[in-house]
Amino acid sequence: MRAEIIAVGSELLLGQIVNTNAQFISQQLALCGIDVFFHTVVGDNQSRLLQAISVAKNRADILIFTGGLGPTKDDITKETVSLYLQIPLEIDKPSLTSIVNYFEKRGIPMTENNQKQALILKNAKVFPNEHGLAPGMALEKDGTHFILLPGPPSEMKPMFINYIIPHLNHLLGESNLICSKVLRFFGIGESALEEKLQHLLNNQSNPTIAPLANEGEVTIRITAKASNEIKAFEMINRIEDEIRLIAGEFIYGVNNETLHQVAIERLSQKKLTLSLAESCTGGLLGHLVTSVPGASSVFLGGIQSYSDQSKVSILGLSPSVLKLHGAVSEESAKEMAENTRSIFNSDIGISITGIAGPAPVEGKEVGLIYIGIANNDTDTQVYRIKLAGTRNQIKQRAAKYALFYLWKQL
């Protein structure tokens, strides 16, 4: 089946917000085995939306609309689809009850136009909005499936996962079941990984193998089509085993796992504690660590020693080290890691010092990073890396490299 995504909202055309909904929906449809050939964005104009629907209906089996289900006059999606299909709108009583309860619980008066959000296409299948007010809906007419979803991603995404995917799988039938697994890589670039896996990529059919680079990481999505989940994952596992034999040293996780999540899990499993000393990343590594639930059991604290003065007065870095080697050096990274471990009495201390840009420092190029890891069980290791990109990209990648090296040591 072919789908077209139609995003409705003048704010999208004006560039006031980014159409992340289309990206998310396309990714999910690919997992369902549904092709997306067109993305359409239309402003809050009924005649142009009618034209877009007419064009899309001639080239797609499924039309998925996002946005335009709200209470104001410029929310025109369901009214326009109603006009196009010549199907009236009616109040969905469960949705109206949910909207009324929402306002009552918050002690806020409900205005009359909020009832508009409970309108649905007559005889449509209704998808409850568990994170907002306007319900989603689906209707089939003359062989074309119309799916209307709210615009806010916080409402649309859970609705799509919980209700739309089961609805689409029902339309496709069991014989078209699509399953996938994502392998997550760090420490190797997309082109280098593709070269290692070239023979698998050249001969793929079912399962398919799709590499994707993102913020210093690479993912491989393995997707299989089969009559049931067991058969699909048998096919996926065979390909995964081959990939792990070739490039397993760079695989740190699967599916939605993150570097900071797997690193904290390893620390927790080994009952080890962690402290940080950050310079060029300015607390970013600490932010990643503390974003993991349960990090408090292993993370004792960190020091943002951004200036040379703070490196000496707070972190205890030797002035002689700074004078002889500079703040961005192997020697400084080593002492920073050891000192933060001592200050917090942690099992492991990590330091990051480097140059994120935009200008060189100490006669050293932008992108030069030193990461120190002081571990009770081994000698302090210092890793020298050279990164490229914007200031923010260098900071992000430096923090991720620190987590990767920690994970590798553990």
Side-chain angles (χ1 to χ4, degrees):
M1 300 184 81
R2 297 165 299 169
E4 180 158 342
I5 301 166
I6 302 176
V8 183
S10 296
E11 65 276 9
L12 294 165
L13 293 175
L14 293 170
Q16 295 171 344
I17 63 171
V18 179
N19 187 13
T20 57
N21 283 344
Q23 178 191 33
F24 174 82
I25 293 171
S26 287
Q27 290 170 343
Q28 297 302 315
L29 292 177
L31 298 180
C32 295
I34 297 173
D35 295 318
V36 178
F37 294 147
F38 297 95
H39 287 182
T40 298
V41 180
V42 188
D44 303 316
N45 180 283
Q46 190 167 73
S47 63
R48 287 193 283 271
L49 181 52
L50 284 168
Q51 183 182 7
I53 295 171
S54 180
V55 171
K57 189 177 183 300
N58 289 324
R59 61 190 184 191
D61 307 296
I62 305 171
L63 275 56
I64 300 178
F65 299 81
T66 62
L69 303 184
T72 61
K73 288 184 178 180
D74 60 357
D75 291 310
I76 60 167
T77 301
K78 54 191 168 188
E79 290 81 1
T80 306
V81 175
S82 169
L83 177 63
Y84 181 85
L85 296 177
Q86 293 297 293
I87 294 175
L89 295 169
E90 60 183 16
I91 290 287
D92 178 59
K93 291 182 179 179
S95 296
L96 181 59
T97 300
S98 177
I99 293 169
V100 170
N101 289 340
Y102 172 88
F103 285 96
E104 287 181 348
K105 286 179 180 178
R106 285 155 183 79
I108 303 171
M110 175 177 162
T111 57
E112 187 175 345
N113 63 350
N114 276 292
Q115 293 189 39
K116 175 187 173 186
Q117 295 181 96
L119 287 171
I120 63 163
L121 296 161
K122 187 176 181 180
N123 297 324
K125 184 175 183 178
V126 179
F127 306 114
N129 189 339
E130 295 161 350
H131 300 268
L133 299 180
M137 66 197 80
L139 185 74
E140 184 270 331
K141 186 174 182 182
D142 300 329
T144 302
H145 299 272
F146 293 78
I147 298 175
L148 282 63
L149 302 172
S154 60
E155 300 176 25
M156 186 280 295
K157 289 181 179 182
M159 184 181 292
F160 200 94
I161 295 294
N162 295 330
Y163 297 105
I164 305 305
I165 289 178
H167 176 72
L168 293 172
N169 285 335
H170 177 73
L171 295 180
L172 292 168
E174 189 183 47
S175 62
N176 290 302
L177 180 68
I178 305 290
C179 294
S180 68
K181 185 174 186 178
V182 175
L183 304 181
R184 311 192 75 89
F185 296 77
F186 196 85
I188 186 171
E190 182 181 18
S191 57
L193 182 59
E194 284 193 20
E195 187 174 344
K196 286 179 175 289
L197 304 178
Q198 197 63 57
H199 67 289
L200 294 176
L201 294 168
N202 289 341
N203 298 315
Q204 62 176 307
S205 56
N206 184 27
T208 58
I209 307 167
L212 177 67
N214 182 35
E215 283 305 317
E217 300 188 33
V218 184
T219 61
I220 294 284
R221 183 183 293 275
I222 310 169
T223 304
K225 179 179 178 181
S227 59
N228 60 64
E229 189 172 315
I230 293 175
K231 290 182 179 179
F233 276 101
E234 285 177 352
M235 298 163 68
I236 289 169
N237 292 340
R238 284 197 295 270
I239 295 295
E240 179 184 354
D241 289 344
E242 289 191 61
I243 292 174
R244 286 187 179 274
L245 282 173
I246 298 167
E249 64 184 300
F250 302 104
I251 299 175
Y252 73 82
V254 299
N255 296 329
N256 294 319
E257 290 180 328
T258 62
L259 271 169
H260 40 289
Q261 180 184 341
V262 297
I264 294 301
E265 285 176 354
R266 285 280 178 92
L267 286 168
S268 181
Q269 289 165 3
K270 292 177 176 288
K271 295 181 169 44
L272 298 174
T273 55
L274 173 70
S275 62
L276 307 174
E278 298 184 64
S279 182
C280 63
T281 47
L284 179 58
L285 180 56
H287 167 70
L288 292 174
V289 167
T290 55
S291 68
V292 179
S296 59
S297 65
V298 300
F299 181 51
L300 301 185
I303 297 171
Q304 294 182 44
S305 51
Y306 203 66
S307 68
D308 286 358
Q309 180 182 353
S310 66
K311 288 180 176 69
V312 174
S313 61
I314 300 174
L315 194 55
L317 184 61
S318 303
S320 59
V321 168
L322 277 175
K323 184 177 180 179
L324 288 172
H325 305 285
V328 182
S329 64
E330 178 180 346
E331 292 78 7
S332 290
K334 179 177 185 292
E335 195 168 325
M336 287 168 65
E338 291 172 348
N339 287 4
T340 191
R341 186 184 66 177
S342 176
I343 290 168
F344 288 96
N345 194 28
S346 61
D347 297 304
I348 296 173
I350 297 180
S351 67
I352 304 179
T353 181
I355 306 163
V361 176
E362 301 175 348
K364 299 164 186 174
E365 294 182 1
V366 171
L368 176 63
I369 306 290
Y370 289 93
I371 297 168
I373 301 183
N375 191 324
N376 280 336
D377 296 331
T378 61
D379 293 335
T380 300
Q381 299 292 314
V382 178
Y383 303 88
R384 181 186 187 274
I385 55 176
K386 188 71 171 65
L387 302 175
T390 66
R391 180 179 175 85
N392 284 336
Q393 286 173 329
I394 289 172
K395 290 171 64 177
Q396 287 278 349
R397 292 167 186 172
K400 287 185 176 181
Y401 263 102
L403 291 163
F404 179 67
Y405 290 137
L406 171 63
W407 175 80
K408 290 280 282 185
Q409 279 203 16
L410 296 174

Coordinates of all heavy atoms in Angstrom, one line a residue, residues 55 92 112 170 321 331 340 358:
V55 N -5.5 15.6 -5.3 CA -4.2 15.1 -5.9 C -3.8 13.8 -5.2 O -3.4 12.8 -5.8 CB -3.2 16.2 -5.9 CG1 -1.8 15.6 -6.3 CG2 -3.6 17.3 -6.8
D92 N -18.9 13.0 18.8 CA -18.5 11.7 19.4 C -18.7 11.8 20.9 O -17.9 12.6 21.6 CB -17.1 11.3 19.0 CG -16.7 10.0 19.7 OD1 -17.4 8.9 19.4 OD2 -15.7 10.0 20.5
E112 N -17.4 27.3 24.3 CA -18.3 26.5 23.3 C -17.5 25.9 22.2 O -17.8 24.8 21.7 CB -19.4 27.4 22.8 CG -20.4 26.7 22.0 CD -21.6 27.6 21.5 OE1 -21.7 28.7 22.1 OE2 -22.3 27.2 20.6
H170 N -3.9 -4.3 10.8 CA -5.2 -5.0 10.5 C -5.5 -4.9 9.0 O -6.0 -5.8 8.3 CB -6.3 -4.4 11.3 CG -7.7 -5.0 11.0 ND1 -8.0 -6.3 11.4 CD2 -8.8 -4.5 10.4 CE1 -9.3 -6.6 11.0 NE2 -9.7 -5.5 10.4
V321 N 51.6 21.9 35.5 CA 51.1 21.1 34.4 C 50.5 22.0 33.4 O 50.7 21.9 32.2 CB 50.0 20.1 34.9 CG1 49.3 19.5 33.7 CG2 50.7 18.9 35.6
E331 N 48.4 15.4 29.8 CA 48.7 15.5 31.2 C 47.6 16.2 32.0 O 47.3 15.7 33.1 CB 50.0 16.4 31.3 CG 51.3 15.7 30.8 CD 51.4 15.8 29.3 OE1 50.5 16.4 28.6 OE2 52.3 15.1 28.7
T340 N 39.2 14.5 40.2 CA 37.8 14.4 40.5 C 37.4 13.1 41.2 O 36.5 13.1 42.0 CB 37.0 14.6 39.2 OG1 35.6 14.8 39.6 CG2 37.0 13.4 38.3
P358 N 35.0 28.6 18.4 CA 35.3 28.6 16.9 C 36.8 28.8 16.6 O 37.2 28.7 15.5 CB 34.4 29.7 16.4 CG 34.4 30.7 17.5 CD 34.3 29.9 18.8

